[in-house]
Amino acid sequence: MSNAPPLKAVTLTHVRYVKGDQLGHFLAWISLVPVFISLGGFICHFIFRREIQGMFFFIGIIINQIISESVKKLVQQARPETCALLEMCDSHGWPSSHSQYMFFFAMYFTLMNCSKGVGFWGAKDKAALISLPWTLAFLTMWSRVYLGYHSIAQVFAGMILGTFLGWVWYGVVNYGLFCYFPLIEESFFGRMFYVKDTSHIDNVLKFEYDNARAARKNAAATAINSNKTD
């Protein structure tokens, strides 16, 4: 056993907390929110929604993470001393990738839902909808310090960098690449996978709800007329 190679955990889901610490247990789960968003949120989005805006959102998330890892390797700032207990001393801590991820997500999500024609909800519900990612972002930032994975400076660095990159990427997508959305929609890829852009619709949920009801009524009327003809 002494000659066995050392083991390394997958840091994406490797979260530790003090046994018996209920707050630590809660914050450990909060630290996994980026994983849930990436593996659950965006994958489900592509399967069920296939929105071009959402796809570019996810591309931005990937670019944001690449930048975070690149900056870590460049700066090479060590994690707090608690990294020994967490078995994380072999990785760098500035900036916090979790914090950067969540604030990128919160900023892009906010701009997307505040801009006319991009939101999925009515104006009355937007405030509550937008507050959710920011709440999760600050909780994630706190969790990384509380659990000992990062210093306060490291999570604040992630917050600033993630917020800035979220703002920049939103501008790139919606003021630089937006004009290409119709081309993507009409491309071979777009037609094959039913990729669509609903950015021109003020309230997508209401639009889909109204059209689904109308389609059902039309189908019922067609069936009735067909029976009368027979």
Side-chain angles (χ1 to χ4, degrees), residues 30-192:
I30 289 293
S31 278
L32 294 176
V33 168
V35 180
F36 299 147
I37 291 174
S38 295
L39 300 183
F42 282 106
I43 290 176
C44 289
H45 176 276
F46 180 77
I47 294 173
F48 297 108
R49 300 290 315 171
R50 308 190 188 189
E51 292 275 354
I52 298 175
Q53 183 74 232
M55 292 178 186
F56 276 103
F57 192 172
F58 185 59
I59 291 172
I61 288 283
I62 295 173
I63 294 173
N64 177 63
Q65 288 304 106
I66 292 173
I67 292 174
S68 178
E69 293 302 320
S70 299
V71 172
K72 279 185 176 182
K73 291 179 180 178
L74 180 65
V75 177
Q76 296 187 359
Q77 186 180 103
R79 293 177 184 270
E81 295 180 358
T82 48
C83 67
L85 294 172
L86 301 169
E87 300 179 356
M88 292 289 291
C89 292
D90 59 338
S91 62
H92 305 301
W94 197 99
S96 164
S97 295
H98 283 70
S99 180
Q100 185 174 327
Y101 181 109
M102 287 305 300
F103 280 94
F104 178 98
F105 180 88
M107 174 55 74
Y108 194 102
F109 186 86
T110 298
L111 293 173
M112 184 177 69
N113 282 279
C114 284
S115 299
K116 176 176 172 52
V118 183
F120 290 89
W121 299 76
K124 296 179 180 179
D125 306 308
K126 280 187 178 180
L129 183 66
I130 290 170
S131 67
L132 179 60
W134 288 103
T135 301
L136 290 174
F138 280 106
L139 283 173
T140 301
M141 185 172 71
W142 178 33
S143 74
R144 302 307 286 174
V145 176
Y146 184 90
L147 297 172
Y149 286 89
H150 291 285
S151 66
I152 294 176
Q154 290 170 353
V155 295
F156 269 96
M159 177 187 73
I160 294 170
L161 188 55
T163 303
F164 173 72
L165 290 175
W167 174 71
V168 170
W169 183 245
Y170 181 83
V172 169
V173 172
N174 290 277
Y175 296 98
L177 303 176
F178 185 77
C179 59
Y180 298 105
F181 280 17
L183 294 178
I184 297 173
E185 198 172 38
E186 296 298 328
S187 68
F188 175 77
F189 169 79
R191 289 176 175 272
M192 174 176 283

Side-chain angles (χ1 to χ4, degrees), residues 204-214:
V204 178
L205 289 181
K206 185 177 186 302
F207 175 83
E208 292 181 345
Y209 174 74
D210 290 341
N211 279 275
R213 291 180 64 202

